[in-house]
Amino acid sequence: CVDMPVFANRLGRKIRVESVEALQSLRERLVGAPLWMQADACRTSTNHYVVVRVTKHLKASFMLMVNTRHPVIRTQLDQGFELAYEKMLEGKKVDMKISLKELVEQFYHAML
């Protein structure tokens, strides 16, 4: 068992911040610990036989621990936070959505 802090958003998937300082605090918490996320994967394959066609559907749900200090992940997070900072400093409200979907899909295809 590794003794390290884990970023946990117990309020759900949306976090509301009202100031640049709160956004900075969130950023530090997020990039300072592994991020846990649920991933769902599915694969469909079809085999054709002489008299029948068989289609298999495989589905799996699993937890991923994302290393938020990895350069690729860190770049993605930094870009999202920088855009949010700029908008907040301009006095605008912003909805920041960081998606790691493409990175997870690349990992899935490369490793599994």
Side-chain angles (χ1 to χ4, degrees):
C1 183
V2 178
D3 186 25
M4 64 174 66
V6 174
F7 178 81
N9 174 12
R10 301 188 194 287
L11 301 175
R13 293 183 176 175
K14 294 184 180 181
I15 301 172
R16 183 182 180 121
V17 294
E18 299 287 337
S19 67
V20 174
E21 293 80 17
L23 186 62
Q24 178 64 30
S25 175
L26 174 63
R27 180 183 191 169
E28 290 170 5
R29 286 181 35 226
L30 185 63
V31 299
L35 176 67
W36 287 94
M37 57 187 280
Q38 181 178 346
D40 298 314
C42 60
R43 174 176 269 170
T44 301
S45 63
T46 303
N47 293 324
H48 297 276
Y49 298 101
V50 175
V51 287
V52 70
R53 178 179 61 188
V54 177
T55 301
K56 297 177 187 176
H57 300 282
L58 303 172
K59 294 182 180 179
S61 291
F62 50 95
M63 294 299 292
L64 291 175
M65 183 176 76
V66 178
N67 178 3
T68 56
R69 293 181 182 167
H70 187 280
V72 175
I73 301 294
R74 185 65 181 259
T75 299
Q76 187 113 1
L77 293 173
D78 285 344
Q79 288 173 351
F81 276 104
E82 288 302 321
L83 180 61
Y85 285 138
E86 290 171 12
K87 298 295 182 189
M88 287 185 81
L89 290 174
E90 293 172 3
K92 298 179 180 176
K93 292 184 179 182
V94 62
D95 285 335
M96 184 176 86
K97 181 177 180 180
I98 297 174
S99 175
L100 301 175
K101 180 182 177 186
E102 291 179 15
L103 296 173
V104 171
E105 286 177 350
Q106 289 173 4
F107 169 80
Y108 175 75
H109 289 297
M111 298 302 217
L112 304 175

Coordinates of all heavy atoms in Angstrom, one line a residue, residues 20 23 27 78-94 96:
V20 N -10.1 33.3 -8.2 CA -8.8 32.8 -8.8 C -8.0 32.1 -7.7 O -7.4 31.0 -8.1 CB -8.0 34.0 -9.4 CG1 -6.6 33.5 -9.8 CG2 -8.7 34.7 -10.5
L23 N -9.4 28.6 -7.5 CA -9.0 27.9 -8.7 C -7.6 27.4 -8.5 O -7.3 26.2 -8.8 CB -9.2 28.7 -9.9 CG -9.0 28.0 -11.3 CD1 -9.9 26.8 -11.4 CD2 -9.1 29.0 -12.4
R27 N -6.3 23.6 -8.4 CA -5.2 23.1 -9.3 C -4.1 22.4 -8.5 O -3.7 21.3 -8.9 CB -4.6 24.3 -10.1 CG -3.5 23.9 -11.0 CD -3.0 25.2 -11.7 NE -2.1 24.8 -12.8 CZ -1.6 25.7 -13.7 NH1 -2.0 27.0 -13.6 NH2 -0.8 25.3 -14.6
D78 N -2.9 21.7 -17.4 CA -2.4 23.0 -17.4 C -3.1 23.9 -18.4 O -3.5 25.0 -18.1 CB -0.9 23.1 -17.6 CG -0.1 22.7 -16.4 OD1 -0.6 22.6 -15.3 OD2 1.1 22.4 -16.6
Q79 N -3.3 23.3 -19.6 CA -4.0 24.1 -20.6 C -5.5 24.5 -20.2 O -5.9 25.6 -20.4 CB -4.1 23.3 -21.9 CG -2.8 23.2 -22.6 CD -2.8 22.2 -23.8 OE1 -3.8 21.5 -24.0 NE2 -1.8 22.2 -24.6
G80 N -6.1 23.5 -19.6 CA -7.5 23.8 -19.1 C -7.5 24.9 -18.0 O -8.3 25.8 -18.0
F81 N -6.6 24.8 -17.0 CA -6.5 25.7 -15.9 C -6.1 27.1 -16.4 O -6.6 28.1 -16.0 CB -5.6 25.3 -14.8 CG -6.3 24.3 -13.9 CD1 -6.0 23.0 -13.9 CD2 -7.1 24.8 -12.9 CE1 -6.6 22.1 -13.0 CE2 -7.8 23.9 -12.0 CZ -7.5 22.6 -12.1
E82 N -5.2 27.2 -17.4 CA -4.7 28.5 -17.9 C -5.9 29.2 -18.6 O -6.1 30.4 -18.4 CB -3.6 28.3 -18.9 CG -2.3 28.0 -18.2 CD -1.8 29.0 -17.1 OE1 -2.0 30.2 -17.3 OE2 -1.3 28.5 -16.1
L83 N -6.7 28.5 -19.3 CA -7.8 29.1 -20.0 C -8.8 29.6 -19.0 O -9.4 30.7 -19.1 CB -8.5 28.1 -20.9 CG -9.7 28.6 -21.7 CD1 -9.4 29.7 -22.6 CD2 -10.4 27.4 -22.5
A84 N -9.1 28.8 -17.9 CA -10.0 29.2 -16.9 C -9.5 30.5 -16.1 O -10.2 31.4 -15.8 CB -10.2 28.1 -15.9
Y85 N -8.1 30.5 -15.9 CA -7.5 31.7 -15.2 C -7.8 33.0 -16.0 O -8.2 34.0 -15.5 CB -6.0 31.5 -15.0 CG -5.6 30.6 -13.9 CD1 -4.6 29.7 -14.1 CD2 -6.2 30.6 -12.7 CE1 -4.1 28.9 -13.1 CE2 -5.8 29.7 -11.7 CZ -4.8 28.9 -11.9 OH -4.4 28.0 -10.9
E86 N -7.5 32.8 -17.3 CA -7.7 34.0 -18.2 C -9.1 34.5 -18.2 O -9.3 35.7 -18.1 CB -7.3 33.6 -19.7 CG -5.8 33.4 -19.8 CD -5.4 32.8 -21.2 OE1 -6.3 32.8 -22.1 OE2 -4.3 32.3 -21.4
K87 N -10.0 33.6 -18.3 CA -11.5 34.0 -18.3 C -11.9 34.7 -17.0 O -12.6 35.7 -16.9 CB -12.4 32.9 -18.6 CG -12.1 32.3 -20.0 CD -12.5 33.2 -21.1 CE -12.3 32.6 -22.5 NZ -12.4 33.6 -23.5
M88 N -11.4 34.1 -15.9 CA -11.8 34.6 -14.5 C -11.1 36.0 -14.3 O -11.8 36.9 -13.7 CB -11.3 33.6 -13.4 CG -12.2 32.4 -13.4 SD -11.8 31.3 -12.0 CE -12.7 32.2 -10.6
L89 N -9.9 36.2 -14.8 CA -9.3 37.5 -14.6 C -10.0 38.6 -15.5 O -9.9 39.7 -15.1 CB -7.8 37.4 -15.0 CG -6.9 36.6 -14.0 CD1 -5.5 36.4 -14.6 CD2 -6.9 37.3 -12.6
E90 N -10.6 38.1 -16.5 CA -11.4 39.1 -17.4 C -12.8 39.3 -16.8 O -13.6 40.1 -17.3 CB -11.6 38.5 -18.8 CG -10.3 38.4 -19.6 CD -10.5 37.7 -20.9 OE1 -11.6 37.3 -21.2 OE2 -9.5 37.5 -21.6
G91 N -13.1 38.6 -15.6 CA -14.4 38.8 -15.0 C -15.5 38.0 -15.6 O -16.6 38.2 -15.3
K92 N -15.1 37.0 -16.4 CA -16.1 36.1 -17.0 C -16.3 34.9 -16.2 O -15.4 34.4 -15.6 CB -15.7 35.8 -18.5 CG -15.6 37.0 -19.4 CD -15.1 36.6 -20.7 CE -15.0 37.8 -21.6 NZ -14.5 37.5 -23.0
K93 N -17.5 34.3 -16.3 CA -17.7 33.0 -15.8 C -17.3 31.9 -16.8 O -17.4 32.2 -18.0 CB -19.2 32.8 -15.4 CG -19.6 33.7 -14.3 CD -21.0 33.4 -13.9 CE -21.4 34.3 -12.8 NZ -22.8 34.0 -12.3
V94 N -16.8 30.8 -16.3 CA -16.3 29.8 -17.2 C -16.7 28.4 -16.7 O -16.7 28.2 -15.5 CB -14.8 29.9 -17.4 CG1 -14.0 29.7 -16.1 CG2 -14.3 29.0 -18.5
M96 N -15.2 24.9 -17.0 CA -14.0 24.2 -17.4 C -14.2 22.7 -17.4 O -14.6 22.1 -16.4 CB -12.8 24.5 -16.4 CG -11.5 23.9 -16.9 SD -10.1 24.4 -15.8 CE -10.3 23.1 -14.5

